[in-house]
């Protein structure tokens, strides 16, 4: 066995080991602590878990490529809320009144286009101004959220379309619609990052930007495309979730960016870019959802859940650093 | 070679930076199928010239002619498209990607819909790798390779295009002997295909082994071209260092005291190995070698910035372990770092605060900083080192390089060290201030400090040192006293040539 292989294996497989650990812990602890009679590892419960992972999970796929690219996007929660409003409100617009249920695809397309446009705006600013993506999207997070409140004040925007709800609640081959979307997005993004020139260049840019520039890779357009993709996915996440719920509060999607980043980081994507895996992000999303659900199962309240997840995140990053530390001759900074 | 068109020709290239004429009318040419060495001391203008060729800098005057066409290259990519490939000394690789992806970075073969053509990529890469006879394949992750193999990946990039001229910048710096043989085979192969090769190296034995002609730069000026077959090392060395430089050696010797610092068999991974030397108080020991020879790393280890993997450090005969810079300062070791502006000073702070930075924790009047004590420390060292500044309120960013360096030196003197390490003390400092700094270093030794001077400038090392340690590739090749050192034997020692090794 070559040196470094063990630590590599630990790093790549860690998230799945963590998930297994969670399952065992909650199953055992659930026997003693749970108020409900149902076992934790129940089929229905697990299916629900997949479905509930979808809103965060779909965005997390986009965040993975953004972070591999060496950027970050804090505005996804706000984009999510805007797209939800576009989706629900456009169905009530008078110009679409004659369409009947055909308004549904129109509303979807509008919502998705809104997401792509907002993402493109982020990407364009990052590209053309050279300002750090953290600052740009911090600004757009506040700005986009402002738009949400300008639209309808503190009031929720509601529109329930029963055809839409039926579609969203449908189960195909046992899996919910939202789960299917999550799986399809995961597969598509995996394909994008591993099989296309765009994806490989995104890795190269995040890994060694100077080398990429010297090799003639145009950094800006790649970053902009990735911001458009994450905008699209934030919108898709909103489409999937609000098709079912039918009502959006102006605060919806707040802190989503942090949950998403937590999932991506748990999945092992480097904060500095260049390394990360879509499949591991999928694991990170499941791990967080399991933790939330499992802690609720054994009777912990929301505050405890947040505390535990925060602690785990720090421990994971600490372990990652320990595994990555190179030889002792490294310059101490 | 008459009658042939040069593969690449430079005519009267001039490049100036504010205050410096880095290249002054440099002309030279490379024939197809020729290996042309470019030599010169550190700072002679080789890398500037290569950056002009590689499209990173634009020349102020002069022409670059590829084949028979004058060309203008605005970026490394344009240079590559014109057939000029630059193999950098510093690696420019994406570590998380595979070898194949790195070799074809920016030019991945595509199928429809922007998909990567993995089969073609792997096939082409393995074809290139097989000519390089390396022990890894296209799918290996670059981060898992040794530095030498990473260098081979960098070299493989030259083989992806139909190159007219390939520039190798110190390609063997991190290669083993076996890998060098392969590299030279690659160069011979390129030669037979009519590619012109510019080979930059300090290693005489390589130059004489593989090159056809040698061009020499000194102080940004072209100094002539020699036929390798008709010349020898002495001639080249003479051309490189010239006679105009002040190479006077240090004549005066101070009363030497006890051994202040002794190092026995110190090693730090691959950075340097088995380094032993001693410095007495009152003595200046110069460390001379090429960039990357491991001199700065030794200083960093002594200052607690790196943990040694083997060996002992003894201060005044007592073995010590130095874990951090704070530790080193407490034990009386101070380091004036290489990068004055980045590592030595806080440019946005005033002179007084910079000078008292390491001891501000101790300068307290109750809970507050004792400003009066700070000012008196500053005044003391301003007078002692003759620092010219309007007052302590002046921001150090506004001082000249020489005065900035004195602030850094004053900062450490105020900590009362016994060993003072000075890394590249006069880098970026004008000639007048240079000799002032040199005199200061001599004075400090006279006052009983043990001083280590690390420098890449031969006149400087010769001028200030009582003894000179020549380093090559992480090892001490030889230690000279100022009586026995000559330019020639010093250059030979740092190029890894001859030089009876001192124990």
């Amino acid at each position: 066995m070559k040196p470094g292989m063990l630590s590599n294996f630990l790093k790549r497989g860690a998230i799945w080991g963590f998930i297994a650990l969670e399952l065992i812990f909650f199953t055992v602890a659930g026997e003693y602590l749970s108020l409900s009679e149902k076992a934790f590892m129940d089929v229905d419960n697990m299916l629900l878990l997949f479905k509930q992972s979808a809103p965060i999970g779909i965005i997390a796929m986009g965040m993975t490529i953004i972070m591999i690219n060496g950027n970050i996007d804090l505005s996804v929660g706000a984009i999510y809320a805007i797209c939800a409003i576009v989706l629900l409100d456009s169905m009530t617009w008078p110009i679409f009144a004659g369409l009947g249920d055909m308004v549904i695809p129109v509303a979807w397309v509008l919502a998705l286009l809104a997401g792509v446009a907002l993402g493109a705006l982020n990407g364009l600013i990052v590209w053309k101004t050279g300002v750090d993506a953290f600052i740009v999207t911090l600004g757009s997070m506040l700005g986009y959220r402002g738009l949400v409140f300008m639209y309808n004040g503190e009031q929720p925007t509601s529109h329930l379309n029963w055809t839409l709800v039926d579609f969203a609640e449908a189960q195909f081959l046992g899996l919910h619609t939202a789960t299917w979307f999550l799986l399809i997005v995961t597969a598509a993004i995996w394909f994008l990052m591993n099989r296309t020139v765009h994806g490989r260049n995104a890795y190269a840019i995040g890994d060694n930007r100077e080398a990429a520039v010297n090799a003639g890779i145009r950094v800006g357009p790649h970053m902009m495309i990735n911001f458009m993709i994450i905008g699209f996915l934030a919108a898709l996440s909103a489409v999937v979730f609000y098709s079912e719920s039918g009502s959006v509060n102006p605060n919806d999607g707040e802190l989503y960016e942090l949950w998403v980043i937590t999932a991506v980081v748990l999945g092992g994507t480097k904060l500095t870019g260049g390394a990360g895996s879509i499949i591991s992000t999928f694991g990170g999303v499941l791990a967080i959802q399991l933790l939330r659900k499992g802690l609720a199962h054994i009777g912990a309240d929301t505050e405890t859940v947040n505390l535990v997840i925060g602690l785990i995140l720090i421990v994971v990053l600490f372990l990652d650093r320990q595994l990555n530390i190179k030889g002792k001759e490294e310059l101490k900074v | 070679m008459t009658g042939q068109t040069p593969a690449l020709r430079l005519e009267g290239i001039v490049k100036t930076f504010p205050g410096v004429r880095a290249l002054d009318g440099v002309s030279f040419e490379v024939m197809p199928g020729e290996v042309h060495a470019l030599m010169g001391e550190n700072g002679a203008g080789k890398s500037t010239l290569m950056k002009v060729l590689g499209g990173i800098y634009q020349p102020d005057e002069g022409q670059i002619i590829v084949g028979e066409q004058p060309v203008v290259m605005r970026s490394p990519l344009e240079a590559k498209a014109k057939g000029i490939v630059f193999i950098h000394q510093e690696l420019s690789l994406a570590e998380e990607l595979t070898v194949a992806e790195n070799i074809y970075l920016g030019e991945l073969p595509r199928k429809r819909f922007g998909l990567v053509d993995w089969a073609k990529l792997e096939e082409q890469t393995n074809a290139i790798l097989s000519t390089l006879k390396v022990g890894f394949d296209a799918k290996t992750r670059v981060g898992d390779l040794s530095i030498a193999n990473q260098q081979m990946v960098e070299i493989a990039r030259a083989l992806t295009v139909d190159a007219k001229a390939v520039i190798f910048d110190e390609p063997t710096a991190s290669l083993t002997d076996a890998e060098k043989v392969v590299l030279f085979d690659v160069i011979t192969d390129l030669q037979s295909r009519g590619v012109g090769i510019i080979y930059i190296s300090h290693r005489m034995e390589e130059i004489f082994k593989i090159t056809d002609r040698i061009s020499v730069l000194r102080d940004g000026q072209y100094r002539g071209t020699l036929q390798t077959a008709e010349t020898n090392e002495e001639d080249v060395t003479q051309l490189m260092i010239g006679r105009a430089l002040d190479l006077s050696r240090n004549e005066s010797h101070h009363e030497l005291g006890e051994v202040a610092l002794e190092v026995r068999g110190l090693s730090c991974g691959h950075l340097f190995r088995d380094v032993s030397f001693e410095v007495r108080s009152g003595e200046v020991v110069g460390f001379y070698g090429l960039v990357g020879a491991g001199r700065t790393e030794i200083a960093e280890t002594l200052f607690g910035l790196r943990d040694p993997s083997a060996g002992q450090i003894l201060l005044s005969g007592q073995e010590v372990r130095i874990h951090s810079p704070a530790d080193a300062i407490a034990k009386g070791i101070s380091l004036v770092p290489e990068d004055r502006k980045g590592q030595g000073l806080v440019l946005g702070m005033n002179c007084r605060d910079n000078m008292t930075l390491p001891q501000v924790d101790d300068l307290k009047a109750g809970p507050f900083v004792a400003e009066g004590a700070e000012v008196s420390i500053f005044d003391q060292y301003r007078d002692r080192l003759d620092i010219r500044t309007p007052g302590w309120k002046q921001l150090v960013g506004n001082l000249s390089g020489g005065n900035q360096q004195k602030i850094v030196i004053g900062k450490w003197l105020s900590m009362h060290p016994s060993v003072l390490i000075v890394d590249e003390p006069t880098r970026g400092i004008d000639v007048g201030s240079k000799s002032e700094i040199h005199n200061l270093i001599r004075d400090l030794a006279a006052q009983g400090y043990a001083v280590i001077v690390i420098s890449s400038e031969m006149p400087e090392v010769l001028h200030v040192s009582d003894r000179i340690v020549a380093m090559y590739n992480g090892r001490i090749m030889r230690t000279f006293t100022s009586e026995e050192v000559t330019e020639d034997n010093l250059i030979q020692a740092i190029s890894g040539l001859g030089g009876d090794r001192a124990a």
Side-chain angles (χ1 to χ4, degrees), chain B residues 156-188:
Chain B
R157 281 180 175 169
L159 307 178
T160 62
V161 289
D162 187 18
K164 290 199 177 64
V166 181
I167 303 161
F168 289 93
D169 187 3
E170 295 271 0
T172 54
S174 52
L175 298 187
T176 65
D177 287 342
E179 288 158 334
K180 277 181 203 169
V181 173
V182 176
L183 173 68
F184 295 155
D185 285 348
V186 170
I187 289 177
T188 318

Side-chain angles (χ1 to χ4, degrees), chain B residues 30-58:
Chain B
V30 192
M31 295 294 171
E34 178 194 34
V35 181
H36 197 129
L38 186 66
M39 300 195 73
E41 279 197 298
N42 293 328
K46 286 172 305 191
S47 32
T48 313
L49 184 63
M50 291 307 110
K51 282 180 178 161
V52 168
L53 258 181
I56 297 167
Y57 292 155
Q58 295 305 305

Side-chain angles (χ1 to χ4, degrees), chain A residues 111-125:
Chain A
L112 294 173
L113 282 180
V116 171
L118 294 173
L121 185 61
N122 280 337
L124 198 66
I125 295 173

